[in-house]
Amino acid sequence: MPSSVIEITVNGSEEEFIAKPGTTLLGALRDTLGLTAAKRGCAQGGCGTCTVLLDGRPVMSCLVAVETIDGSEVQTLEGVADGDRLDEVQAAFLEGFATQCGFCTPGMIMAAEALLARNPDPTRADVVEAISGNVCRCTGYGPIVAAVLDAAERRRSA
Amino acid sequence: MKVHVPESVDEAVGLLGAGTVIAGGTHVVPRAAPTESLVSLRRAGLAGITVQDRTVRIGAATTLAQVGREVEFLHAAIESIASPTIRNLATVGGNLFVPQPHGDLAVCLLALDARVSIIDADGAREVGVLEAEGLVTAIRFDVPQRWYYTKAMRRRQNSGSIVTVASDGTRIALGGVAPRPVRATAAEAALAEGDVAKAAELSVEAADPSDDAYASAWYRRRVLPVHVRRALTNAV
């Protein structure tokens, strides 16, 4: 099996590594680069907890063969906080008790980051649509939607 | 297993047979066997949308998200498909091949009588939506004067189709009710006479539904006429 050398930028840092054929972006992040915020839930694009930003757009990293995105830019939850300082979305999730078990949280936050980058003043319907690919099996959608709206307001008034 | 990432269409054609062709990979990647090679079209230069007069040409590797942003009359249909995180990966070409009850854009393209450009060992040619095979490079269709679309789902978002109806007021295409998207020809004949109620009733003739997690075959057949009638009386 011929492996490939892959170069991608992750959270602003250039990473070069060897990937076996068929390695997913999620697998590379977790198992090669040690970035374990993105979770492996269903591994078939149904749950969204592996959501990361690929060239600025939210995608399910379990569906992306890493060999096909050589040279791309990836942002994960690890790159969201500024050192120990949480960003508005993380702070709103924490303070609004929007985490519960926490398994869906990395994907929820990245989907929310993508929404707020594109639309700083979303409606509730916009938020619901943005996280429609992200499943919370604690069914804590109410606090999650409220936290994203709260984060939008914090960012606008920052 | 090997993942080929051709950088041009010519290179991709040379790799036909070397693996399963993927673009977004949303359907194939999670199902690929450990021994299954893939040919990704992500870098083959097949993404992009051009509009000339009323003719829209969409490259096969264009994401559904981009179609939703740029082709206004298809916006509602695109929004009914999966989630934004899937639509940023899933492509127009791939949508032609996903099994029902997915592939709602293919239902729209069937109703639009879209022409599909394909390339295989016999060269390049244009075929209909249901005849697509080999390597799809692009799809073209004319923006219709009228457009009708409805998709019945278990949830408002991110759910497979129970019944999908797309029509330009002449052709009627159905999704969710057969192994592949189908044209409801008997219903089209009734619609041509202006009889929406009869078109709705006759749409069942085109249906060959299955049971799945979203709905039973019985339910799909039962509600199909309702959704055909609703679609045809709610023009965009």
Side-chain angles (χ1 to χ4, degrees):
Chain A
M1 292 204 303
S3 294
S4 320
V5 176
I6 308 294
E7 278 183 67
I8 53 176
T9 303
V10 183
N11 301 327
S13 158
E14 281 178 32
E15 303 286 353
E16 191 178 14
F17 55 90
I18 294 170
K20 286 184 182 168
T23 303
T24 62
L25 172 57
L26 177 66
L29 289 171
R30 289 182 62 84
D31 305 333
T32 306
L33 300 176
L35 297 171
T36 53
K39 299 287 181 281
R40 186 178 284 113
C42 69
Q44 55 181 17
C47 80
T49 191
C50 66
T51 302
V52 302
L53 307 192
L54 174 61
D55 293 326
R57 298 189 190 283
V59 301
M60 308 236 189
S61 61
C62 73
L63 299 178
V64 177
V66 77
E67 290 141 300
T68 67
I69 60 155
D70 195 26
S72 299
E73 193 165 316
V74 176
Q75 288 166 274
T76 71
L77 180 64
E78 282 95 341
V80 167
D82 178 11
D84 284 343
R85 232 185 73 220
L86 301 183
D87 90 334
E88 296 88 346
V89 183
Q90 292 174 306
F93 267 66
L94 183 65
E95 289 162 32
F97 193 58
T99 54
Q100 297 206 26
C101 89
F103 192 78
C104 74
T105 310
M108 288 286 183
I109 290 181
M110 295 317 287
E113 296 285 1
L115 170 69
L116 299 188
R118 181 172 52 81
N119 178 3
D121 191 9
T123 63
R124 192 176 188 285
D126 294 334
V127 175
V128 169
E129 201 220 341
I131 63 166
S132 61
N134 297 71
V135 173
C136 168
R137 274 298 76 125
C138 305
T139 67
Y141 295 103
I144 291 168
V145 172
V148 178
L149 291 169
D150 179 27
E153 199 174 325
R154 287 173 191 232
R155 195 167 282 181
R156 285 197 308 276
S157 56
Chain B
M1 176 188 198
K2 187 161 169 41
V3 179
H4 303 275
V5 191
E7 306 256 340
S8 69
V9 175
D10 285 347
E11 200 186 328
V13 171
L15 287 164
L16 281 176
T20 306
V21 176
I22 67 166
T26 55
H27 184 77
V28 174
V29 167
R31 291 170 179 80
T35 53
E36 184 177 352
S37 288
L38 305 174
V39 179
S40 167
L41 301 182
R42 182 182 276 275
R43 291 172 187 276
L46 289 173
I49 300 175
T50 54
V51 184
Q52 196 166 24
D53 300 320
R54 292 187 69 79
T55 303
V56 181
R57 185 184 179 283
I58 306 178
T62 308
T63 63
L64 299 186
Q66 189 179 348
V67 176
R69 285 193 297 270
E70 296 183 25
V71 185
E72 199 186 343
F73 83 96
L74 287 175
H75 184 77
I78 295 293
E79 294 239 303
S80 77
I81 299 172
S83 62
T85 36
I86 294 287
R87 298 197 292 266
N88 280 333
L89 291 172
T91 66
V92 174
N95 200 265
L96 299 178
F97 298 99
V98 288
Q100 292 286 315
H102 306 291
D104 298 303
L105 181 61
V107 178
C108 296
L109 295 172
L110 188 60
L112 292 164
D113 196 26
R115 301 286 95 194
V116 180
S117 301
I118 62 171
I119 297 186
D120 60 17
D122 300 331
R125 59 193 186 280
E126 276 196 338
V127 298
V129 171
L130 297 177
E131 287 86 53
E133 58 181 1
L135 183 71
V136 175
T137 54
I139 287 152
R140 71 175 169 86
F141 54 83
D142 290 341
V143 176
Q145 299 291 331
R146 288 177 296 168
W147 182 243
Y148 308 83
Y149 178 82
T150 189
K151 176 180 173 185
M153 292 188 273
R154 293 289 288 255
R155 303 183 294 187
R156 278 180 65 93
Q157 277 151 339
N158 196 13
S159 190
S161 170
I162 294 173
V163 171
T164 300
V165 184
S167 176
D168 66 347
T170 306
R171 287 179 291 269
I172 302 171
L174 307 175
V177 293
R180 302 203 65 192
V182 287
R183 283 271 296 277
T185 47
E188 288 173 2
L191 186 62
E193 292 162 13
D195 193 339
V196 170
K198 194 173 173 201
E201 190 186 317
L202 291 176
S203 65
V204 179
E205 288 185 11
D208 177 21
S210 305
D211 295 333
D212 62 23
Y214 300 106
S216 66
W218 177 88
Y219 182 77
R220 287 186 156 105
R221 194 176 276 114
R222 177 73 183 77
V223 299
L224 174 60
V226 177
H227 292 294
V228 170
R229 193 177 65 243
R230 283 184 192 167
L232 294 175
T233 49
N234 283 297
V236 170

